[in-house]
Amino acid sequence: MKRYAAILAISVLIYGLVSCAQTTPAPSSITPLSIASLPDENTVVLVLEDPRPLHRQRGLGTPGYTSRQAYDVDPLLARTARAVSLDLGVELLTQWPIRSQKLLCLLVSSAGKDADELIRSALKDKRVKMAQPFNRFETLATPEPYQHLQAFDASHLESIAAGNTGKAVRILVVDTFADLKHEDLRHADIQQYDFVGQKRGFAQELHGTAVVGVLAAASSNGIGIAGIAPDAIVKVARACWQKHSSSSAAVCNTLTLSAALDFAIENNFDLLNLSLSGPLDPLLEMLLDEVLAKGTKIVTAFDPKRARVKRFPKWREQGGVLFAVGSQSEAGDLWPWEISAPYSAITLQPNNRYDVVSGHSIAAPHVAGLTALLLEGKPRLQHSEIDLRLQQISYSVESKYHQAK
């Protein structure tokens, strides 16, 4: 009984914490089982069709019965999750919805069984639409000393979209929390949504602060740095969490990223920034396809450690996802949809600090910011047009880096 109470608590967390706040702490009710402590090994994600009738999916059972309440308390979901787990002989760790796709996800422990064998047997069950490993993902940036500093200067911005500041372009940054009290972010009405719920004692987180700084730090305020798209409408979906208080390294998993992408689908953003990477994940790729179908442009960090078609996000021949390649990378010749951008930049750090941060994670908000400038006033701009315009400055950035060396 305690196990299912914990499952219900974490399920409530996933959708109960999707409310805007600067640093919303997780309620104490979820302490028996936290998202950050879910095991990576010997765990499998099972994806089922939502078994509820449509009116119950929408929360129309009784007057005042909201869709959030419908998920949190609907006993049919709990019974279905328990039945599938018992039939497969596995331990149910937690469950969560993909509301935009009318799906129910179960995270189960293989309980000593081989995970690949479990996936094969689960796919024979007609209730299971998809089965895959429970993956972990990492951000791709680290602080480093002030060396080989490079960033887009005013001439680069003028060459892309003279006078544009990203005004009214809606951007979702999927990352850690950002320090919204930073002096260079006080101009912006940035909202944050928590899909993790465990703060681990860190009042602000380094990686998200650095990414949002490159993208949206205030301009013309006489302090610090200027973001590339300071007038964009930025929202942060916290799907990653900082591993240690002194390090910007952060991790995410299939659960948190799927919840954030579900949020992106439902809210129809103009642009999505993913400064992270990891193994190929079928569930997340399916959701990313839905994001693209909504017309949202996606910028992600290039991952030199994984083959282009065996990572998340994967390279798509038809485009849609732009890969930001840090210009000191040894990526070799760039493929279509890959854009060279600064590998290092001075950006924001919590508590009104600034530092040089490096990595493909930092290249991503540079490309996202430039994309926002192009989208200002032209929200229907095609991926191919964006790629062509960005390629115009890609080579000049690369040339500037080699000259600096």
Side-chain angles (χ1 to χ4, degrees):
M1 189 69 181
K2 290 182 180 179
R3 164 63 65 182
Y4 286 98
I7 292 170
L8 177 60
I10 198 169
S11 301
V12 171
L13 163 70
I14 295 165
Y15 269 80
L17 285 185
V18 185
S19 56
C20 60
Q22 290 195 354
T23 50
T24 306
S28 57
S29 60
I30 63 96
T31 53
L33 184 62
S34 71
I35 291 174
S37 64
L38 289 172
D40 298 324
E41 297 182 358
N42 299 318
T43 49
V44 170
V45 178
L46 307 179
V47 183
L48 288 63
E49 297 283 358
D50 190 327
R52 298 174 297 167
L54 186 60
H55 72 282
R56 284 172 69 173
Q57 292 178 20
R58 293 177 175 173
L60 301 178
T62 58
Y65 198 52
T66 69
S67 58
R68 181 174 298 175
Q69 290 173 326
Y71 177 77
D72 294 345
V73 303
D74 197 318
L76 179 56
L77 296 178
R79 288 199 303 270
T80 301
R82 186 180 303 186
V84 172
S85 301
L86 289 174
D87 290 347
L88 292 174
V90 295
E91 179 185 7
L92 178 62
L93 299 177
T94 190
Q95 65 187 67
W96 72 98
I98 305 295
R99 188 176 295 167
S100 65
Q101 307 303 302
K102 301 180 176 61
L103 298 175
L104 173 65
C105 296
L106 313 181
L107 181 65
V108 300
S109 171
S110 58
K113 299 180 180 179
D114 178 74
D116 291 336
E117 181 182 345
L118 172 57
I119 290 173
R120 287 192 293 270
S121 62
L123 289 173
K124 297 176 182 178
D125 190 316
K126 293 182 179 179
R127 295 167 295 183
V128 178
K129 181 177 180 178
M130 182 185 298
Q132 65 166 69
F134 184 58
N135 291 316
R136 177 164 290 216
F137 305 84
E138 297 184 348
T139 55
L140 301 171
T142 55
E144 67 172 29
Y146 289 74
Q147 59 181 358
H148 302 313
L149 176 63
Q150 71 171 332
F152 286 106
D153 58 27
S155 63
H156 287 110
L157 301 185
E158 288 295 318
S159 69
I160 279 288
N164 286 5
T165 59
K167 186 175 182 180
V169 177
R170 300 175 66 245
I171 305 174
L172 180 65
V173 176
V174 177
D175 214 286
T176 70
F177 269 146
D179 179 9
L180 301 188
K181 295 181 180 179
H182 196 289
E183 61 186 0
D184 245 343
L185 291 178
R186 291 174 187 165
H187 71 292
D189 183 22
I190 299 175
Q191 294 177 318
Q192 300 198 112
Y193 300 80
D194 190 5
F195 294 92
V196 177
Q198 186 186 39
K199 285 176 54 52
R200 299 170 64 92
F202 308 145
Q204 298 90 18
E205 292 178 293
L206 298 169
H207 193 272
T209 304
V211 168
V212 173
V214 171
L215 190 60
S219 62
S220 304
N221 63 346
I223 57 174
I225 64 171
I228 296 174
D231 293 329
I233 301 171
V234 177
K235 298 183 186 295
V236 177
R238 185 192 185 223
C240 308
W241 60 94
Q242 192 168 312
K243 295 170 70 174
H244 307 290
S245 60
S246 60
S247 170
S248 65
V251 294
C252 340
N253 59 38
T254 300
L255 189 165
T256 56
L257 287 175
S258 65
L261 292 178
D262 188 27
F263 175 74
I265 293 167
E266 291 190 324
N267 288 275
N268 216 12
F269 291 91
D270 299 310
L271 184 59
L272 175 65
N273 187 93
L274 294 167
S275 289
L276 53 90
S277 183
L280 185 64
D281 190 295
L283 174 60
L284 298 184
E285 290 296 341
M286 180 191 72
L287 294 175
L288 216 57
D289 284 339
E290 291 296 327
V291 173
L292 290 169
K294 290 279 187 176
T296 302
K297 278 65 176 178
I298 299 172
V299 176
T300 190
F302 178 79
D303 184 352
K305 296 180 180 179
R306 293 182 170 89
R308 287 171 169 87
V309 295
K310 294 184 179 181
R311 65 185 179 207
F312 172 78
K314 70 178 180 180
W315 184 85
R316 288 161 166 77
E317 185 175 359
Q318 72 274 22
V321 180
L322 292 175
F323 292 85
V325 182
S327 53
Q328 76 173 48
S329 167
E330 297 179 357
D333 294 335
L334 298 183
W335 285 24
W337 318 114
E338 294 179 347
I339 308 296
S340 180
Y343 185 83
S344 301
I346 291 182
T347 186
L348 312 185
Q349 295 287 265
N351 301 314
N352 290 331
R353 295 184 297 108
Y354 300 83
D355 202 351
V356 174
V357 179
S358 297
H360 299 287
S361 272
I362 292 304
H366 280 94
V367 174
L370 292 170
T371 302
L373 301 187
L374 293 173
L375 291 175
E376 182 178 336
K378 297 180 180 179
R380 298 187 183 278
L381 199 63
Q382 296 299 307
H383 296 106
S384 57
E385 296 178 77
I386 294 171
D387 181 62
L388 180 62
R389 295 290 303 279
L390 293 179
Q391 291 292 354
Q392 293 173 358
I393 67 162
S394 178
Y395 296 107
S396 64
V397 172
E398 187 75 27
S399 174
K400 178 183 176 184
Y401 169 72
H402 287 300
Q403 291 173 8
K405 291 187 72 175

